[in-house]
Amino acid sequence: MARSIVEILKEALGGEKVLTAKQVLRERRHDTWALSILDDMQGRPAPAPCCVVQPSETADVVAVVNACRENRTPLVPFGLGSGVCGGVRVDSDTVLLDMGNMTRVRLLDKVNLLATFEAGLRGADAETIAARQGLTLGHYPQSIDISTVGGWVATRSAGQFSTAYGNIEDVVVGLEVVLPSGEILVTRQTPRASTGPDLKNIFIGSEGTLGVMTAVTFSLRWKPEKRAVSAYYAPDMDRGFELQQFIIQSGWYPPVMRQYDFMEVKRNFPEQTRDSDALIIMVHEGPNSRVDVEKKACAMLAADMGCDPAPVETVHRWLEERNHVTGFEPLLEKGIIVDTIEVAAPWDRIGLIYKSVIRSLGEVEGIRAASSHSSHCYRSGLNLYFTFAAKPDDRAKMAPIYNECWQRTMEETLAAGGGISHHHGIGRVRREWLSRELGEPGVRLLADLKHTLDPYHIMNPGVLLPHG
Amino acid sequence: MARSIVEILKEALGGEKVLTAKQVLRERRHDTWALSILDDMQGRPAPAPCCVVQPSETADVVAVVNACRENRTPLVPFGLGSGVCGGVRVDSDTVLLDMGNMTRVRLLDKVNLLATFEAGLRGADAETIAARQGLTLGHYPQSIDISTVGGWVATRSAGQFSTAYGNIEDVVVGLEVVLPSGEILVTRQTPRASTGPDLKNIFIGSEGTLGVMTAVTFSLRWKPEKRAVSAYYAPDMDRGFELQQFIIQSGWYPPVMRQYDFMEVKRNFPEQTRDSDALIIMVHEGPNSRVDVEKKACAMLAADMGCDPAPVETVHRWLEERNHVTGFEPLLEKGIIVDTIEVAAPWDRIGLIYKSVIRSLGEVEGIRAASSHSSHCYRSGLNLYFTFAAKPDDRAKMAPIYNECWQRTMEETLAAGGGISHHHGIGRVRREWLSRELGEPGVRLLADLKHTLDPYHIMNPGVLLPHG
């Protein structure tokens, strides 16, 4: 009888790297997608993988990829499982590749401000390692404590300070990727090149479908000389959007600009509510003199716009609590289905998307809350981050109502000219809308790319591509 | 007998779009690669294409691509032919696709600061159209008067103000591309997305090998409130590099920082030479108050570094003459072979590359000049732009000596850890070094991508890929 993939992997890597203990398998069946957690609770648990492999170096990853390719076995890379879109959800024949033991620092270069971390390193640990040298990655997704640097690349992650420092595609200068062929692709770390298409971009956002990220090189910054904060009330969301637009289009880049609607002001800053105002908080960072002039310029633009200063305690509070991630479980256990959905849109669409999504979510059976804030600002537009919570009479309706909330948010966003994801990714939850975002030629191009790199479709099947 | 491709194209597009006049064909045989011009002069002229097609809309391009694919006919896109790497050089069976009649403005959006131009629009015309509205593309390659926006994308062009405004990949938000299959790919114009790999990056730098760019959407800026200039002498190139490094790593981004070695100071600013000093010129742009603090901060860093202020006439002179492109012909006619080669490197490699390339070029037979300046600065490193001129005793040696200068520059750059092209691209002149830059897996990935998109290899064959 043919050997099983588990036996093959044990022989190739040694038994201690190939885990089959029930608890280990159970804990890595899926990411933090609300629907997977709900399925577990409601007696529809996702299957466990056939084994969990924990590589300790790139050669191990090559061995796993080769074994899975030769045996046509699905292979799902796993960071820390903080994704919220169903990017990880296995079948019983899947090999789960847990990158948690690949956490080495391969390079920390204070001259060229480069750092190379293995993909399994937790984001917060990478930042701490940089911080010890007076440096920073400048990339702080809310999940920084519970996600890996490889996961950031796989999902096209955004950082909270992105307005000045950019998103993952702006701070990553190079990648090491094990391709489905077993080849190791190492992109160069020159500051800039015109040597054909920039190949690293094929893998940023590939969600595990095109290969396995094994190391990531970041362009670092020295910690800024100064940090200052400011906050403003806006009489309504539209006025706040306009203020953000004026600030960024005037050439100012406060690393953080976030705008909360009144419902979120009440929830997050209950002591600082004013009338039914929205709230904008900002963090300014950089050389002393630039921070001073930026803060002053933003204050003048706010005054021009009729936005009054708000207590800066709001910003300090956000800075303290910004990496706090609330689990879905406590609410799900109470029969409340909840999730967040981030989208992005040009300036002239953003107000309409805000209004139409909030209105549409309000029509959902059992809806308890529908609110939004913006957190990432660009010259050409803004993101919105919606939160919904619904408690249907019947717990059997939790999953259908969850899907309805997604359906409404995606459809309203697309109808108003927005984009379906700003930074969480596609996973499984957004697959059916991808062709509306990329167009049929775009989806075909992506599928062709997938088929070329991964002809046996072993890499994270079921994710990203609508028909994958 | 089967119809010729010219007949087929005339039927599909109408005769007036398919040109076969000798002069038209002759003028579009190649770009501005020095070796092609030399070949013409020395009686080795490149062949002319079988026809020049001038599409007036995307549907025309689709028709041409379909006809060429169905007839396995090489198709070479052509902007204004200002490339200097041999990216355009045809065979007698080639269809040359001259984009010069696709120059429409499809969008000029003052709210979202977006503009969509057809690919054949001259860069300077695009900038003028934006400027009439008080806007700017912020992308000013030296070739702006003699290149198209589609050409900028195809070659991964860099702009002179890149330190603050970024390069083409940072200012382009969307593309329309006719794929070799005849499909039209239109990427979305949302400000940012996590919806799989960002597909536009596959085409930025593809040098005509993966499809035909038909329209480009830019993220614009309002014209800056203020422009200021400053200039400093540096006692040697290393000290100047260090000053640039300090400025950018301190968090300042003067849009322009250029550093000339003494030989180029003598050539470009003869009245402002001092001892054997290098010269650094800077342009500061943005809101008034930020320009003021940036200029002051740069002055303090220069003083700390022992770099004295230099006459700002140098900067004004550069600003006036910056788009002047000297043709190779007058020098070639005198028997002098000349070219420029741009490379890039991390900070700790840049001084070595400067010295070793200049030293090595100095050993070439008949060398008259070898000099360099930097023009694009990044947190992790810098580019260098070498110029060489050699006059061998025997004109038959011009081409071999040209190749030797390239060979030496590429080899010294690679040996010292630099990257082989900053912004001119690969074309034909750098093909043999591409695998040293991308690695064999990188070249294979690029070749696989090419084969997937263009299975009959009709798109600009002979360019970019080492074995294309």
Side-chain angles (χ1 to χ4, degrees):
Chain A
M1 191 184 149
R3 289 182 310 160
S4 74
I5 186 75
V6 177
E7 288 165 331
I8 292 167
L9 288 168
K10 280 187 175 169
E11 192 177 303
L13 287 105
E16 74 285 359
K17 293 177 184 171
V18 183
L19 312 177
T20 52
K22 281 226 167 95
Q23 184 61 21
V24 171
L25 301 186
R26 195 158 53 209
E27 284 169 0
R28 289 163 182 80
R29 289 173 301 126
H30 56 68
D31 63 1
T32 315
W33 187 21
L35 221 45
S36 289
I37 298 170
L38 185 67
D39 282 350
D40 279 359
M41 279 187 183
Q42 297 192 334
R44 302 178 300 268
C50 68
C51 65
V52 168
V53 184
Q54 294 185 318
S56 58
E57 55 188 347
T58 302
D60 289 343
V61 176
V62 171
V64 177
V65 166
N66 285 340
C68 287
R69 187 188 62 253
E70 286 158 12
N71 292 278
R72 312 290 189 261
T73 302
L75 178 62
V76 177
F78 186 92
L80 282 164
S82 68
V84 289
C85 297
V88 176
R89 196 173 158 114
V90 304
D91 284 316
S92 54
D93 63 343
T94 300
V95 171
L96 189 129
L97 189 67
D98 176 350
M99 297 299 289
N101 284 348
M102 284 189 64
T103 58
R104 272 179 292 259
V105 181
R106 293 194 187 167
L107 174 77
L108 189 52
D109 172 349
K110 295 173 72 170
V111 176
N112 302 309
L113 304 194
L114 297 173
T116 304
F117 303 115
E118 287 185 340
L121 187 65
R122 197 171 66 111
D125 294 336
E127 178 63 21
T128 301
I129 288 159
R132 274 192 214 119
Q133 307 292 327
L135 294 160
T136 176
L137 274 65
H139 188 74
Y140 321 111
Q142 187 187 12
S143 66
I144 191 165
D145 291 329
I146 53 170
S147 59
T148 64
V149 299
W152 294 354
V153 175
T155 56
R156 273 181 75 82
S157 135
Q160 290 163 334
F161 285 56
S162 72
T163 305
Y165 302 154
N167 293 308
I168 193 73
E169 65 273 23
D170 304 303
V171 297
V172 166
V173 296
L175 294 177
E176 180 186 89
V177 186
V178 176
L179 302 178
S181 64
E183 284 186 300
I184 303 169
L185 175 75
V186 182
T187 67
R188 291 256 293 176
Q189 294 168 11
T190 44
R192 204 261 174 181
S194 176
T195 53
D198 186 349
L199 298 176
K200 71 172 183 287
N201 290 306
I202 292 176
F203 301 94
I204 299 178
S206 58
E207 303 193 9
T209 65
L210 300 178
V212 181
M213 235 79 69
T214 44
V216 184
T217 301
F218 289 85
S219 165
L220 307 177
R221 299 164 191 275
W222 293 109
K223 282 199 191 175
E225 204 171 48
K226 183 169 183 173
R227 174 184 282 180
V229 300
S230 46
Y232 298 94
Y233 291 116
D236 55 39
M237 287 297 272
D238 282 338
R239 190 83 66 89
F241 295 148
E242 219 175 330
L243 174 57
Q244 289 196 65
Q245 183 187 352
F246 271 41
I247 288 172
I248 198 158
Q249 292 186 350
S250 300
W252 298 104
Y253 294 91
V256 178
M257 273 205 284
R258 299 170 71 87
Q259 176 179 337
Y260 298 87
D261 71 4
F262 180 60
M263 178 162 276
E264 298 210 355
V265 179
K266 278 193 293 184
R267 188 189 310 142
N268 295 305
F269 312 102
E271 288 156 28
Q272 283 89 28
T273 58
R274 191 184 83 166
D275 305 332
S276 62
D277 285 359
L279 174 72
I280 298 175
I281 64 172
M282 290 181 216
V283 179
H284 313 275
E285 280 192 350
N288 282 324
S289 58
R290 194 180 63 213
V291 168
D292 293 343
V293 296
E294 178 180 285
K295 187 175 164 176
K296 201 170 155 189
C298 291
M300 287 176 66
L301 289 167
D304 288 352
M305 207 73 90
C307 294
D308 297 333
V312 292
E313 288 73 22
T314 52
V315 198
H316 294 301
R317 178 154 185 192
W318 175 77
L319 281 166
E320 279 161 29
E321 298 183 359
R322 66 194 166 109
N323 297 335
H324 183 67
V325 178
T326 319
F328 294 125
E329 289 85 345
L331 289 165
L332 292 175
E333 275 164 11
K334 290 180 192 157
I336 300 170
I337 185 80
V338 61
D339 205 0
T340 58
I341 307 180
E342 22 64 63
V343 302
W347 288 111
D348 63 358
R349 313 269 105 195
I350 201 75
L352 176 61
I353 291 174
Y354 172 71
K355 285 186 201 77
S356 54
V357 171
I358 295 287
R359 188 203 325 105
S360 182
L361 288 173
E363 294 164 4
V364 173
E365 181 191 328
I367 196 80
R368 294 293 179 93
S371 65
S372 190
H373 66 265
S374 75
S375 46
H376 300 80
C377 186
Y378 305 88
R379 285 204 301 285
S380 61
L382 194 67
N383 84 315
L384 281 175
Y385 193 96
F386 292 100
T387 300
F388 69 83
K391 188 176 182 184
D393 294 337
D394 179 355
R395 289 193 178 216
K397 287 189 186 164
M398 288 172 76
I401 280 180
Y402 176 89
N403 290 327
E404 184 186 341
C405 289
W406 268 91
Q407 182 84 24
R408 286 170 176 268
T409 304
M410 293 289 94
E411 291 297 333
E412 294 289 349
T413 298
L414 285 163
I420 62 171
S421 176
H422 177 268
H423 62 272
H424 282 172
I426 299 298
R428 282 173 171 78
V429 73
R430 283 182 170 99
R431 283 172 74 196
E432 67 181 280
W433 293 281
L434 188 65
S435 63
R436 308 264 293 279
E437 173 90 14
L438 302 185
E440 290 299 341
V443 169
R444 267 195 295 274
L445 174 56
L446 198 53
D448 287 348
L449 191 60
K450 163 83 174 169
H451 189 72
T452 300
L453 281 167
D454 180 21
Y456 306 114
H457 293 218
I458 61 164
M459 293 304 312
N460 208 7
V463 162
L464 184 56
L465 284 160
H467 321 288
Chain B
M1 194 183 146
R3 289 183 309 160
S4 74
I5 186 75
V6 177
E7 289 166 331
I8 292 167
L9 288 168
K10 280 186 174 168
E11 191 176 304
L13 286 105
E16 75 285 1
K17 293 177 185 173
V18 183
L19 313 177
T20 51
K22 280 229 167 96
Q23 184 61 20
V24 171
L25 302 185
R26 196 159 51 208
E27 284 169 359
R28 289 162 183 80
R29 290 172 301 126
H30 56 67
D31 62 2
T32 315
W33 186 21
L35 220 46
S36 289
I37 298 170
L38 185 67
D39 282 350
D40 279 359
M41 279 189 183
Q42 297 192 335
R44 302 180 298 269
C50 69
C51 66
V52 168
V53 184
Q54 294 185 319
S56 58
E57 54 188 348
T58 302
D60 290 342
V61 176
V62 172
V64 177
V65 166
N66 285 340
C68 286
R69 186 188 64 253
E70 286 157 11
N71 293 278
R72 312 290 188 262
T73 302
L75 178 62
V76 176
F78 186 92
L80 282 165
S82 69
V84 288
C85 297
V88 176
R89 195 173 159 113
V90 305
D91 284 315
S92 54
D93 63 343
T94 299
V95 171
L96 190 127
L97 189 67
D98 177 351
M99 299 297 290
N101 283 349
M102 284 189 65
T103 58
R104 274 178 292 258
V105 180
R106 293 196 186 164
L107 175 76
L108 189 52
D109 171 349
K110 293 174 74 170
V111 177
N112 303 309
L113 305 193
L114 297 173
T116 304
F117 303 114
E118 288 185 339
L121 187 64
R122 198 171 65 112
D125 294 336
E127 178 63 21
T128 301
I129 288 159
R132 272 191 215 120
Q133 308 291 326
L135 293 161
T136 175
L137 276 64
H139 189 73
Y140 320 111
Q142 188 188 10
S143 65
I144 191 164
D145 291 329
I146 53 170
S147 59
T148 64
V149 299
W152 294 354
V153 175
T155 57
R156 273 181 76 79
S157 133
Q160 290 164 333
F161 285 56
S162 71
T163 305
Y165 302 153
N167 293 307
I168 193 74
E169 65 273 23
D170 304 303
V171 298
V172 165
V173 297
L175 295 176
E176 180 185 89
V177 186
V178 176
L179 302 179
S181 63
E183 285 185 301
I184 302 169
L185 175 75
V186 183
T187 68
R188 292 257 290 175
Q189 294 169 10
T190 44
R192 204 260 174 181
S194 176
T195 54
D198 186 349
L199 298 176
K200 72 172 182 285
N201 289 305
I202 292 176
F203 302 95
I204 299 179
S206 59
E207 303 192 9
T209 65
L210 300 178
V212 181
M213 234 80 68
T214 44
V216 184
T217 301
F218 289 84
S219 166
L220 307 177
R221 300 163 192 274
W222 292 110
K223 282 200 191 176
E225 204 172 48
K226 183 170 183 172
R227 174 184 282 182
V229 301
S230 45
Y232 298 94
Y233 290 117
D236 54 41
M237 286 296 271
D238 282 338
R239 191 82 67 88
F241 295 148
E242 220 175 330
L243 174 57
Q244 290 196 66
Q245 184 187 352
F246 270 41
I247 287 172
I248 198 159
Q249 292 187 350
S250 300
W252 297 104
Y253 294 91
V256 178
M257 274 205 283
R258 301 171 70 88
Q259 176 179 335
Y260 298 88
D261 70 5
F262 181 60
M263 177 162 275
E264 298 209 357
V265 179
K266 277 194 293 184
R267 189 188 311 143
N268 296 305
F269 312 103
E271 287 157 28
Q272 284 88 27
T273 58
R274 191 184 82 165
D275 305 332
S276 61
D277 286 358
L279 174 72
I280 299 175
I281 64 171
M282 291 182 215
V283 178
H284 313 276
E285 280 192 351
N288 282 325
S289 59
R290 194 179 64 211
V291 167
D292 293 344
V293 296
E294 178 180 285
K295 188 176 165 177
K296 201 168 154 189
C298 291
M300 287 176 67
L301 288 168
D304 287 352
M305 206 73 91
C307 294
D308 296 334
V312 293
E313 287 73 22
T314 52
V315 199
H316 294 300
R317 176 149 186 197
W318 175 76
L319 281 166
E320 279 161 30
E321 299 184 359
R322 66 194 166 109
N323 297 336
H324 182 67
V325 177
T326 319
F328 294 125
E329 289 84 346
L331 289 165
L332 293 175
E333 276 165 11
K334 291 180 192 157
I336 300 170
I337 184 81
V338 62
D339 206 1
T340 58
I341 307 180
E342 22 64 64
V343 302
W347 289 111
D348 62 357
R349 314 267 106 195
I350 202 75
L352 175 61
I353 291 174
Y354 173 70
K355 286 186 201 79
S356 55
V357 171
I358 295 288
R359 187 200 327 105
S360 182
L361 288 173
E363 295 165 5
V364 172
E365 181 191 328
I367 195 82
R368 294 293 180 93
S371 65
S372 190
H373 66 265
S374 75
S375 47
H376 299 80
C377 186
Y378 306 88
R379 286 204 301 287
S380 61
L382 194 68
N383 85 316
L384 281 175
Y385 194 95
F386 292 100
T387 301
F388 69 83
K391 188 177 181 184
D393 294 338
D394 179 357
R395 289 192 178 216
K397 286 188 186 165
M398 288 173 75
I401 280 180
Y402 176 88
N403 289 327
E404 184 186 340
C405 289
W406 268 91
Q407 182 83 23
R408 286 171 176 267
T409 304
M410 293 288 95
E411 292 296 334
E412 294 289 349
T413 298
L414 285 163
I420 62 170
S421 176
H422 177 268
H423 62 272
H424 282 173
I426 300 297
R428 283 172 171 79
V429 72
R430 282 182 170 98
R431 283 171 74 197
E432 67 180 279
W433 292 282
L434 188 65
S435 63
R436 307 265 292 280
E437 173 90 14
L438 302 185
E440 290 298 342
V443 168
R444 268 194 295 275
L445 174 56
L446 197 53
D448 286 348
L449 191 61
K450 163 81 173 169
H451 189 72
T452 300
L453 281 166
D454 179 21
Y456 307 113
H457 293 217
I458 60 164
M459 294 302 313
N460 207 6
V463 161
L464 184 56
L465 283 161
H467 321 288

